[in-house]
Amino acid sequence: MKSIIFILLFAVLNGAGCENEHEVVRSFCYWKTDLNFQKEDDSLMKELDVKHLYVRFFDVDWNPYAQEPLPVATISNVNLNESNPEITPSIFITNEVVLQSNKKQLDSLASRIAQRVNQIGVKMNETKADVIANAIVYPKDYYKQKDYKRINYDSVKALELAKLKVDFKEILIDCDWSEKSKDNYFYLLKQIKKEFPTVQISSTIRLWQYKFASKAGIPPVDKGLLMCYNLTKPDDFKTKNSIGTSEELAQYITHSNYKLKLDIALPLYSWAVVFRGNQFKGILSDYDQLLKDSIKLKKSSESKYVLEDDVLVGQTYLRNGDEIRIEKISEEELDKMISIIKDKIKIDSQTKVTFFSFDKKYINDYETQNISSYYARF
């Protein structure tokens, strides 16, 4: 009898100890129009053990003159230097596109999305082949080698390029669809899947779409990426933090029965929202120097400041009396947000936890040790 009790107690304790013994897939979003990693970027990727990147390949917007959806703002370069994360192409589609397009246009759009993703994939492989060929033709300290014989660079590159295939495992479609546009959007997702039958298709899920799933519908995809930020509009003067708060997040993540496997996206950025006479004037992403100016900028509350002189920030002209609200998610708030997510959403070793966005400024601001701890809390 004692041995049975001991075995049961061991099983319970062992089970409790293993409950969180998984590591999520560490990911970042990269949302700029040019990706050209340097040594510092490689170092950050390695230090944070980032295995995956969502990379914005291009947007799709509605062209009112042509009366059709058109791809715009295509990424111009994808050079990861020495880093080698898994890449998920990400395509942002405006809600107007799916509202305005007819079925024929959506069919054509799915085909054009596939073509453009493939074109960018080929360009990525050409960049990889360049790097490999350069290492083969010009090995380290080759100029010191007495018996060095130069190989034809173009031939080596062609051979290496032939070995590389466009082979994405997942493609993310990012669209804040509405109840009115969901039928067209879901139709488009099905057509995109036909273009990529062996690739996982995922869709971003806004928090309102998660909470009110019966109204928003569940997209016909393999999985979703839950966007746990941008909860309110930054142009609202009364908003405390438009990037998000744990209190607001808890109001949306109220159930655990969403019908899709979910990956998680959290904010890792900050900005300054400018108001003039309570009227929204814009957003500053590069505000660090201004914040250090204690003569021209006076703190009025925990996150608000008032300008006491005219000032030029980049190409933005600010006036005496303008109010500036600094928005950033604190470590304490992130910890609360992670707890709220874990309480309702299943997290396992296949779950991607991604931060928006990969930028040296934000990463250095939050610090790599803290960011690693955020991943570990899942």
Side-chain angles (χ1 to χ4, degrees):
M1 183 67 180
K2 287 182 180 179
S3 60
I4 294 174
I5 292 173
F6 176 79
I7 292 170
L8 288 172
L9 181 61
F10 175 80
V12 170
L13 292 174
N14 191 52
C18 294
E19 186 178 353
N20 291 319
E21 285 186 4
H22 62 255
E23 288 190 11
V24 296
V25 179
R26 297 186 174 203
S27 172
F28 263 93
C29 292
Y30 191 94
W31 236 244
K32 298 179 182 179
T33 54
D34 181 81
L35 196 165
N36 191 20
F37 273 13
Q38 304 300 318
K39 286 186 177 180
E40 186 181 353
D41 300 292
D42 290 329
S43 178
L44 290 172
M45 291 283 287
K46 185 176 181 180
E47 189 174 350
L48 289 166
D49 196 24
V50 176
K51 303 296 186 185
H52 175 270
L53 284 179
Y54 290 101
V55 178
R56 189 204 64 86
F57 271 25
F58 56 90
D59 300 341
V60 180
D61 204 353
W62 180 256
N63 188 305
Y65 303 102
Q67 287 292 298
E68 65 174 335
L70 292 175
V72 295
T74 301
I75 194 166
S76 58
N77 184 44
V78 182
N79 180 8
L80 291 162
N81 203 24
E82 296 178 3
S83 299
N84 189 34
E86 179 190 335
I87 298 293
T88 293
S90 305
I91 297 98
F92 174 72
I93 301 175
T94 66
N95 190 42
E96 189 177 9
V97 164
V98 284
L99 276 173
Q100 299 283 0
S101 299
N102 56 43
K103 292 292 194 293
K104 186 177 180 181
Q105 288 175 320
L106 293 174
D107 290 341
S108 174
L109 177 58
S111 177
R112 281 184 290 168
I113 286 173
Q115 290 172 10
R116 187 157 297 206
V117 167
N118 188 67
Q119 288 168 357
I120 296 170
V122 169
K123 191 175 179 181
M124 285 174 61
N125 285 345
E126 288 175 349
T127 302
K128 288 180 184 177
D130 259 328
V131 173
I132 297 169
N134 193 67
I136 294 172
V137 176
Y138 305 107
K140 186 178 180 181
D141 296 334
Y142 71 93
Y143 52 88
K144 296 180 182 178
Q145 300 173 15
K146 293 181 180 179
D147 58 346
Y148 170 74
K149 292 182 180 180
R150 186 168 181 256
I151 313 169
N152 184 276
Y153 184 90
D154 292 336
S155 298
V156 174
K157 180 183 175 181
L159 286 170
E160 294 302 323
L161 185 58
K163 299 175 186 178
L164 301 172
K165 305 297 179 187
V166 178
D167 186 25
F168 297 116
K169 295 179 181 179
E170 176 188 358
I171 292 172
L172 173 70
I173 307 300
D174 179 13
C175 179
D176 188 6
W177 80 88
S178 62
E179 192 175 353
K180 188 176 179 181
S181 67
K182 69 178 179 181
D183 290 343
N184 267 7
Y185 179 56
F186 292 178
Y187 176 83
L188 174 62
L189 290 172
K190 290 176 182 177
Q191 300 312 106
I192 292 172
K193 181 65 177 181
K194 289 179 183 178
E195 298 287 342
F196 299 99
T198 61
V199 178
Q200 279 198 324
I201 303 299
S202 56
S203 171
T204 53
I205 310 295
R206 301 304 195 275
L207 286 166
W208 79 266
Q209 294 159 347
Y210 176 91
K211 181 177 181 178
F212 304 108
S214 58
K215 288 185 177 181
I218 307 291
V221 292
D222 298 294
K223 58 179 179 174
L225 177 63
L226 187 62
M227 315 292 277
C228 300
Y229 55 92
N230 285 1
L231 303 180
T232 54
K233 293 182 179 180
D235 59 3
D236 186 348
F237 184 74
K238 296 180 181 178
T239 293
K240 182 180 179 182
N241 189 337
S242 65
I243 295 175
T245 66
S246 59
E247 184 180 354
E248 289 171 326
L249 185 66
Q251 293 173 13
Y252 284 94
I253 302 183
T254 56
H255 62 85
S256 55
N257 55 1
Y258 198 76
K259 305 302 181 184
L260 272 180
K261 164 68 177 170
L262 292 173
D263 293 318
I264 305 298
L266 284 163
L268 200 74
Y269 64 97
S270 62
W271 58 29
V273 187
V274 182
F275 292 89
R276 185 171 299 152
N278 295 0
Q279 297 298 310
F280 175 74
K281 298 304 295 182
I283 292 175
L284 302 174
S285 57
D286 190 9
Y287 61 88
D288 292 347
Q289 286 302 115
L290 177 62
L291 209 58
K292 294 175 183 177
D293 192 337
S294 59
I295 297 174
K296 293 182 180 179
L297 197 65
K298 295 298 180 183
K299 193 168 186 176
S300 59
S301 68
E302 183 182 353
S303 60
K304 291 184 178 181
Y305 297 79
V306 178
L307 269 174
E308 297 195 338
D309 197 356
D310 295 350
V311 64
L312 186 67
V313 181
Q315 296 182 348
T316 304
Y317 179 69
L318 303 179
R319 294 179 182 175
N320 184 1
D322 285 354
E323 294 187 59
I324 297 174
R325 183 177 70 220
I326 305 299
E327 297 189 349
K328 179 184 177 181
I329 307 293
S330 68
E331 182 175 354
E332 182 183 359
E333 276 295 279
L334 270 171
D335 194 34
K336 290 178 182 177
M337 293 169 89
I338 291 168
S339 295
I340 291 165
I341 292 165
K342 287 173 61 180
D343 186 52
K344 298 292 183 183
I345 296 170
K346 183 182 177 182
I347 307 293
D348 56 34
S349 60
Q350 301 301 310
T351 303
K352 294 187 184 78
V353 172
T354 191
F355 287 104
F356 185 92
S357 64
F358 190 90
D359 187 297
K360 290 191 285 286
K361 174 188 181 310
Y362 302 135
I363 292 173
N364 290 330
D365 189 21
Y366 276 90
E367 300 183 358
T368 53
Q369 186 175 355
N370 290 331
I371 297 169
S372 286
S373 74
Y374 303 152
Y375 285 121
R377 288 173 200 179
F378 281 95

